Amino acid sequence: MNEILELDRISLTYHTPSGEIPAIGSISFSVENGEFIAIIGPSGCGKTSILSIVAGLLKPSGGEVRINGKKVVKPDGSIGYMLQKDELFPWLTIEQNVRLPLEIKGLKGTEYSEKVRSLLKKYGLWEFRGSYPSELSGGMRQRAALIRTLSSSPDLLLLDEPFSALDFQTRISVCDDVYEIIKKEKKTAVLVTHDITEAISVADRIVVLTKRPSKILNIHDIDTDKTLSPLKRRENKDFSAWFERLWRELNYENK
Ligand SMILES: Nc1ncnc2c1ncn2[C@@H]1O[C@H](COP(=O)(O)OP(=O)(O)O)[C@@H](O)[C@H]1O
Ligand SMILES: [Mg+2]
């Protein structure tokens, strides 16, 4: 087994002026290198908090996270974090946006410039490198945001509802795009989503959380054909059975 990420009895309580909010009860699971994990659960159950803890941006109240066996204590370059909104800077061109993580880290060598150029070319944004985000479609902006996340070569990608701001059709095709890029670049990904169909169409395994303080309700191995694209997997005969099962878990068994 080649585990890149381990969550070891993570818990979290927020302390606010109006009292304590127990957000995460106790969560443990591991992710293997190259795996695509989806996390689903009721709104407010602590999904974003879990990703922030994995990214080293938030300290858990208990437990620890290990990446490649090493305890996470602060953010570092081995993780790429992509959020719901593309968060590209409107006053920078696409190429400048994509290069930003490298500039911040002071990685200026030609190998890094080459990496950015080849990612832009490979994923259809080369012609738009001099354009500003407002000149691109929502889907292209999300692709640019992913390339920016990839430019500093993280091993592990954390995706927090990255498609939810897009309309339904765009969401499905951008999800296909992003999935293909992540697989081609051989990354490990943890995707948080509230969309059950999205989770089934991309994930090797789905972690289902309870209401807060969240615990793991179930972890499912999704046994659909992994050579198919997410869009094709939606047509697979097992798809609706998985949907029904997860829907039931989220809506009836999640008390
Ligand atoms: N900074 C914060 N201070 C206090 N409470 C918070 C903070 N961030 C999140 N919470 C609370 O913790 C719970 C989990 O939040 P979050 O991780 O954002 O859940 P999810 O992403 O699953 O919707 C929610 O009830 C939310 O209100
Ligand atoms: Mg959230």
Side-chain angles (χ1 to χ4, degrees):
M1 285 248 267
N2 188 2
E3 280 161 0
I4 182 169
L5 170 66
E6 293 162 90
L7 282 77
D8 188 0
R9 286 162 292 170
I10 293 298
S11 64
L12 179 71
T13 299
Y14 284 106
H15 302 278
T16 70
S18 50
E20 301 203 327
I21 302 175
I24 305 172
S26 180
I27 303 271
S28 300
F29 66 90
S30 309
V31 180
E32 279 178 50
N33 232 328
E35 246 190 327
F36 204 124
I37 297 285
I39 300 178
I40 60 174
S43 164
C45 77
K47 301 180 294 298
T48 295
S49 305
I50 291 171
L51 292 192
S52 299
I53 291 171
V54 171
L57 298 167
L58 191 62
K59 197 175 166 317
S61 308
E64 64 176 42
V65 173
R66 291 183 291 274
I67 291 180
N68 291 320
K70 234 180 87 202
K71 182 177 172 179
V72 172
V73 287
K74 60 173 174 44
D76 81 28
S78 61
I79 290 180
Y81 203 164
M82 184 166 153
L83 303 169
Q84 185 168 347
K85 277 185 59 230
D86 60 57
E87 286 176 347
L88 298 170
F89 292 107
W91 60 87
L92 296 178
T93 64
I94 293 304
E95 183 166 7
Q96 287 166 338
N97 264 293
V98 167
R99 296 175 64 93
L100 199 60
L102 302 177
E103 307 274 339
I104 291 170
K105 288 186 190 159
L107 302 174
K108 291 215 165 103
T110 44
E111 62 185 296
Y112 295 109
S113 304
E114 258 323 299
K115 166 114 187 163
V116 166
R117 294 162 80 89
S118 81
L119 283 168
L120 287 170
K121 281 183 189 156
K122 200 149 136 200
Y123 300 119
L125 288 172
W126 181 245
E127 283 163 56
F128 299 92
R129 65 189 183 281
S131 306
Y132 290 89
S134 61
E135 300 170 77
L136 270 59
S137 67
M140 286 166 91
R141 283 203 298 271
Q142 241 6 37
R143 213 183 317 150
L146 178 69
I147 291 174
R148 181 178 63 180
T149 309
L150 291 171
S151 69
S152 56
S153 303
D155 302 324
L156 176 64
L157 295 174
L158 306 177
L159 310 165
D160 194 358
E161 312 221 14
F163 313 120
S164 57
L166 304 170
D167 65 76
F168 181 70
Q169 287 203 339
T170 314
R171 191 158 81 216
I172 289 185
S173 78
V174 174
C175 178
D176 245 35
D177 257 19
V178 163
Y179 178 83
E180 197 190 327
I181 297 173
I182 289 173
K183 285 291 161 193
K184 266 197 192 148
E185 303 293 321
K186 298 192 168 51
K187 301 296 180 192
T188 307
V190 178
L191 166 78
V192 160
T193 177
H194 63 263
D195 181 341
I196 300 175
T197 65
E198 193 172 283
I200 307 166
S201 71
V202 297
D204 298 313
R205 283 191 294 151
I206 298 182
V207 177
V208 186
L209 300 180
T210 66
K211 286 201 289 215
R212 79 176 173 81
S214 49
K215 294 185 297 297
I216 292 180
L217 185 67
N218 261 319
I219 300 183
H220 297 287
D221 263 306
I222 304 300
D223 45 11
T224 47
D225 183 352
K226 303 289 158 47
T227 60
L228 299 175
S229 72
L231 182 59
K232 286 281 174 221
R233 282 204 233 169
R234 284 173 184 266
E235 295 162 6
N236 200 282
K237 63 177 184 358
D238 301 330
F239 196 87
S240 55
W242 273 119
F243 181 82
E244 270 172 45
R245 175 156 185 189
L246 292 164
W247 177 266
R248 231 182 305 118
E249 276 182 20
L250 280 181
N251 292 287
Y252 298 111
E253 294 166 27
N254 208 336
K255 301 286 177 225

